[in-house]
Amino acid sequence: NAGVTQTPKFQVLKTGQSMTLQCAQDMNHNSMYWYRQDPGMGLRLIYYSASEGTTDKGEVPNGYNVSRLNKREFSLRLESAAPSQTSVYFCASRSGTSGKDEQYFGPGTRLTVT
Amino acid sequence: GEDVEQSLFLSVREGDSSVINCTYTDSSSTYLYWYKQEPGAGLQLLTYIFSNMDMKQDQRLTVLLNKKDKHLSLRIADTQTGDSAIYFCAESTGGFKTIFGAGTRLFVKA
Protein backbone atom coordinates (compact mmCIF):
# COMPACT_ATOMS: atom_id res chain seq x y z
CA ASN A 1 0.00 0.00 0.00
CA ALA A 2 1.39 3.36 -1.03
CA GLY A 3 -1.29 5.18 1.00
CA VAL A 4 -1.86 8.73 -0.26
CA THR A 5 0.45 9.95 -3.00
CA GLN A 6 0.78 13.48 -4.35
CA THR A 7 2.51 14.93 -7.38
CA PRO A 8 4.48 17.06 -7.82
CA LYS A 9 6.46 17.48 -4.59
CA PHE A 10 7.60 20.99 -5.49
CA GLN A 11 6.42 23.55 -8.02
CA VAL A 12 7.23 27.15 -8.85
CA LEU A 13 4.69 29.11 -10.87
CA LYS A 14 4.55 32.64 -12.20
CA THR A 15 1.50 34.74 -11.38
CA GLY A 16 -1.30 33.89 -13.79
CA GLN A 17 -0.07 30.41 -14.71
CA SER A 18 -2.25 27.39 -14.13
CA MET A 19 -1.49 23.95 -12.78
CA THR A 20 -3.12 20.82 -11.40
CA LEU A 21 -2.02 19.05 -8.25
CA GLN A 22 -2.63 15.33 -8.37
CA CYS A 23 -3.62 13.07 -5.49
CA ALA A 24 -4.33 9.35 -5.40
CA GLN A 25 -5.10 6.86 -2.63
CA ASP A 26 -5.07 3.09 -2.74
CA MET A 27 -7.01 2.41 0.48
CA ASN A 28 -10.47 2.35 -1.12
CA HIS A 29 -11.48 5.37 0.95
CA ASN A 30 -14.71 7.17 0.22
CA SER A 31 -13.83 10.72 1.19
CA MET A 32 -10.89 12.82 0.06
CA TYR A 33 -9.71 16.29 1.07
CA TRP A 34 -7.46 19.14 -0.02
CA TYR A 35 -5.87 21.35 2.65
CA ARG A 36 -3.39 24.17 2.57
CA GLN A 37 -0.84 24.78 5.30
CA ASP A 38 0.54 28.25 5.91
CA PRO A 39 3.07 29.33 8.55
CA GLY A 40 1.47 30.09 11.91
CA MET A 41 -1.89 28.76 10.76
CA GLY A 42 -3.49 25.38 11.03
CA LEU A 43 -4.46 23.35 8.03
CA ARG A 44 -7.37 24.91 6.22
CA LEU A 45 -9.78 22.88 4.15
CA ILE A 46 -10.03 23.97 0.52
CA TYR A 47 -12.40 21.36 -0.93
CA TYR A 48 -13.50 17.88 -0.07
CA SER A 49 -15.22 15.00 -1.80
CA ALA A 50 -17.53 12.87 0.29
CA SER A 51 -17.68 10.17 -2.36
CA GLU A 52 -16.95 9.57 -6.01
CA GLY A 53 -18.85 12.10 -8.10
CA THR A 54 -19.38 14.69 -5.37
CA THR A 55 -17.33 17.70 -4.31
CA ASP A 56 -17.98 20.47 -1.78
CA LYS A 57 -16.34 23.72 -0.78
CA GLY A 58 -14.38 23.96 2.41
CA GLU A 59 -13.17 27.00 4.31
CA VAL A 60 -10.98 28.60 1.60
CA PRO A 61 -12.18 27.51 -1.89
CA ASN A 62 -11.66 30.76 -3.81
CA GLY A 63 -9.17 30.45 -6.66
CA TYR A 64 -9.33 26.64 -6.76
CA ASN A 65 -11.29 23.94 -8.53
CA VAL A 66 -11.34 20.21 -7.92
CA SER A 67 -12.21 17.01 -9.74
CA ARG A 68 -12.95 13.63 -8.21
CA LEU A 69 -11.95 11.64 -11.25
CA ASN A 70 -12.76 8.27 -9.70
CA LYS A 71 -12.67 6.76 -6.24
CA ARG A 72 -8.87 6.81 -6.18
CA GLU A 73 -8.06 10.25 -7.54
CA PHE A 74 -8.84 13.80 -6.45
CA SER A 75 -7.13 16.69 -8.23
CA LEU A 76 -6.83 20.37 -7.30
CA ARG A 77 -6.53 22.99 -10.04
CA LEU A 78 -5.28 26.54 -9.83
CA GLU A 79 -6.60 28.31 -12.92
CA SER A 80 -4.66 31.56 -12.48
CA ALA A 81 -2.10 31.33 -9.71
CA ALA A 82 -1.59 34.25 -7.32
CA PRO A 83 1.22 34.86 -4.79
CA SER A 84 -1.37 34.37 -2.00
CA GLN A 85 -1.59 30.74 -3.10
CA THR A 86 2.03 30.11 -2.12
CA SER A 87 1.60 27.33 0.42
CA VAL A 88 2.06 23.66 1.16
CA TYR A 89 -0.88 21.62 -0.12
CA PHE A 90 -1.90 18.36 1.49
CA CYS A 91 -4.30 15.77 0.20
CA ALA A 92 -5.95 13.40 2.65
CA SER A 93 -8.37 10.51 2.53
CA ARG A 94 -10.63 8.84 5.01
CA SER A 95 -12.76 5.69 4.97
CA GLY A 96 -15.83 7.16 6.67
CA THR A 97 -17.03 10.23 8.51
CA SER A 98 -16.98 9.01 12.08
CA GLY A 99 -14.54 10.87 14.26
CA LYS A 100 -12.79 7.54 14.79
CA ASP A 101 -12.01 7.28 11.09
CA GLU A 102 -8.42 8.37 10.67
CA GLN A 103 -7.46 10.86 7.99
CA TYR A 104 -4.42 9.70 6.05
CA PHE A 105 -2.29 12.48 4.60
CA GLY A 106 -0.04 12.61 1.58
CA PRO A 107 3.49 14.06 1.80
CA GLY A 108 2.44 17.46 0.46
CA THR A 109 3.17 19.70 -2.52
CA ARG A 110 5.19 22.83 -1.82
CA LEU A 111 3.99 25.53 -4.23
CA THR A 112 5.62 28.92 -4.72
CA VAL A 113 3.94 31.57 -6.88
CA THR A 114 6.19 34.47 -7.88
CA GLY B 1 -16.46 30.45 14.71
CA GLU B 2 -14.56 27.37 15.69
CA ASP B 3 -10.95 27.89 16.63
CA VAL B 4 -8.10 25.79 17.99
CA GLU B 5 -5.13 27.49 19.63
CA GLN B 6 -1.79 26.15 20.73
CA SER B 7 1.60 27.61 21.52
CA LEU B 8 4.03 27.58 18.62
CA PHE B 9 7.23 26.28 20.24
CA LEU B 10 8.35 23.97 23.03
CA SER B 11 11.89 22.96 23.90
CA VAL B 12 12.74 20.08 26.25
CA ARG B 13 15.78 18.00 27.15
CA GLU B 14 16.00 14.39 26.10
CA GLY B 15 14.54 12.15 28.80
CA ASP B 16 12.26 14.84 30.20
CA SER B 17 8.49 14.89 29.76
CA SER B 18 6.94 17.21 27.19
CA VAL B 19 3.51 18.73 27.65
CA ILE B 20 1.84 20.36 24.67
CA ASN B 21 -1.31 22.32 25.37
CA CYS B 22 -4.28 23.27 23.24
CA THR B 23 -7.54 25.14 23.71
CA TYR B 24 -10.58 24.93 21.49
CA THR B 25 -13.78 26.91 21.29
CA ASP B 26 -16.43 24.54 19.93
CA SER B 27 -18.20 23.01 22.91
CA SER B 28 -19.95 20.52 20.63
CA SER B 29 -16.63 18.93 19.61
CA THR B 30 -16.95 15.20 19.90
CA TYR B 31 -13.45 14.09 18.92
CA LEU B 32 -10.15 15.72 19.72
CA TYR B 33 -6.96 14.66 18.01
CA TRP B 34 -3.22 14.93 18.16
CA TYR B 35 -1.32 14.68 14.88
CA LYS B 36 2.44 14.60 14.36
CA GLN B 37 4.21 16.08 11.34
CA GLU B 38 7.84 15.20 10.70
CA PRO B 39 9.94 17.33 8.34
CA GLY B 40 8.88 17.00 4.71
CA ALA B 41 6.00 14.67 5.53
CA GLY B 42 2.26 14.81 5.90
CA LEU B 43 0.40 14.67 9.20
CA GLN B 44 0.06 11.36 10.96
CA LEU B 45 -2.56 10.65 13.60
CA LEU B 46 -0.97 9.99 16.99
CA THR B 47 -4.03 9.55 19.12
CA TYR B 48 -7.54 10.83 19.66
CA ILE B 49 -9.93 11.16 22.57
CA PHE B 50 -13.69 11.10 22.59
CA SER B 51 -15.31 14.01 24.38
CA ASN B 52 -16.83 11.87 27.14
CA MET B 53 -13.37 10.79 28.29
CA ASP B 54 -11.03 12.67 30.62
CA MET B 55 -7.84 10.82 29.89
CA LYS B 56 -6.35 8.38 27.44
CA GLN B 57 -2.99 6.69 27.73
CA ASP B 58 -1.12 5.00 24.92
CA GLN B 59 2.43 3.90 25.80
CA ARG B 60 4.46 7.12 26.26
CA LEU B 61 1.54 9.35 25.31
CA THR B 62 -1.07 10.65 27.76
CA VAL B 63 -3.94 12.83 26.60
CA LEU B 64 -5.87 14.87 29.14
CA LEU B 65 -9.17 16.56 28.30
CA ASN B 66 -10.78 19.25 30.45
CA LYS B 67 -14.09 19.72 28.73
CA LYS B 68 -15.23 22.48 31.09
CA ASP B 69 -12.21 24.64 30.18
CA LYS B 70 -12.04 23.31 26.60
CA HIS B 71 -8.42 22.39 27.20
CA LEU B 72 -6.55 19.45 25.72
CA SER B 73 -2.99 18.40 26.49
CA LEU B 74 -0.55 15.83 25.17
CA ARG B 75 2.15 14.54 27.49
CA ILE B 76 5.07 12.64 26.01
CA ALA B 77 7.02 10.74 28.64
CA ASP B 78 10.79 10.19 28.30
CA THR B 79 11.00 12.47 25.27
CA GLN B 80 13.49 11.34 22.63
CA THR B 81 15.20 13.22 19.81
CA GLY B 82 12.98 11.28 17.42
CA ASP B 83 10.00 13.05 18.96
CA SER B 84 11.16 16.35 17.48
CA ALA B 85 8.33 17.35 15.13
CA ILE B 86 5.32 19.62 14.83
CA TYR B 87 2.31 18.49 16.84
CA PHE B 88 -1.16 19.56 15.75
CA CYS B 89 -4.21 19.63 17.93
CA ALA B 90 -7.51 19.22 16.04
CA GLU B 91 -11.18 18.89 16.82
CA SER B 92 -14.23 17.58 15.03
CA THR B 93 -17.93 17.38 15.64
CA GLY B 94 -18.08 14.44 13.24
CA GLY B 95 -18.76 14.67 9.55
CA PHE B 96 -16.27 16.04 7.08
CA LYS B 97 -14.90 19.05 8.89
CA THR B 98 -11.83 18.96 11.14
CA ILE B 99 -10.40 22.15 12.64
CA PHE B 100 -6.64 22.18 13.12
CA GLY B 101 -4.50 24.35 15.34
CA ALA B 102 -1.37 26.04 13.99
CA GLY B 103 0.91 23.35 15.41
CA THR B 104 3.51 23.28 18.21
CA ARG B 105 7.09 22.73 17.10
CA LEU B 106 8.80 20.48 19.66
CA PHE B 107 12.59 20.72 19.92
CA VAL B 108 14.32 17.97 21.87
CA LYS B 109 17.85 18.78 23.02
CA ALA B 110 20.26 15.91 23.46
Side-chain angles (χ1 to χ4, degrees), chain A residues 2-70:
Chain A
V4 179
T5 56
Q6 292 183 237
T7 56
K9 286 196 186 327
F10 301 93
Q11 184 71 48
V12 179
L13 291 178
K14 293 188 189 305
T15 297
Q17 287 185 318
S18 62
M19 80 161 295
T20 300
L21 281 64
Q22 306 286 354
C23 173
Q25 52 93 6
D26 62 1
M27 295 173 283
N28 202 35
H29 285 169
N30 290 316
S31 58
M32 297 185 73
Y33 308 78
W34 276 105
Y35 293 92
R36 59 179 288 173
Q37 182 184 27
D38 299 297
M41 303 184 76
L43 273 71
R44 291 182 292 169
L45 183 64
I46 305 170
Y47 270 93
Y48 68 95
S49 170
S51 60
E52 185 180 351
T54 69
T55 60
D56 281 287
K57 294 178 181 179
E59 185 185 352
V60 289
N62 291 345
Y64 305 95
N65 284 302
V66 290
S67 294
R68 183 77 183 265
L69 303 167
N70 47 55

Side-chain angles (χ1 to χ4, degrees), chain A residues 56-106:
Chain A
D56 281 287
K57 294 178 181 179
E59 185 185 352
V60 289
N62 291 345
Y64 305 95
N65 284 302
V66 290
S67 294
R68 183 77 183 265
L69 303 167
N70 47 55
K71 194 169 187 180
R72 286 188 66 245
E73 297 172 290
F74 188 38
S75 62
L76 177 72
R77 182 156 178 86
L78 286 70
E79 290 291 351
S80 178
S84 61
Q85 294 178 305
T86 293
S87 188
V88 182
Y89 291 85
F90 289 101
C91 177
S93 72
R94 200 175 181 194
S95 59
T97 58
S98 164
K100 289 185 287 188
D101 294 321
E102 181 177 348
Q103 281 195 69
Y104 291 83
F105 286 82

Side-chain angles (χ1 to χ4, degrees), chain A residues 37 42 50 90 94 97 99 103 106, chain B residues 31 33 37 42 88 95-96 98 101:
Chain A
Q37 182 184 27
F90 289 101
R94 200 175 181 194
T97 58
Q103 281 195 69
Chain B
Y31 287 91
Y33 309 89
Q37 184 184 30
F88 289 88
F96 298 101
T98 305

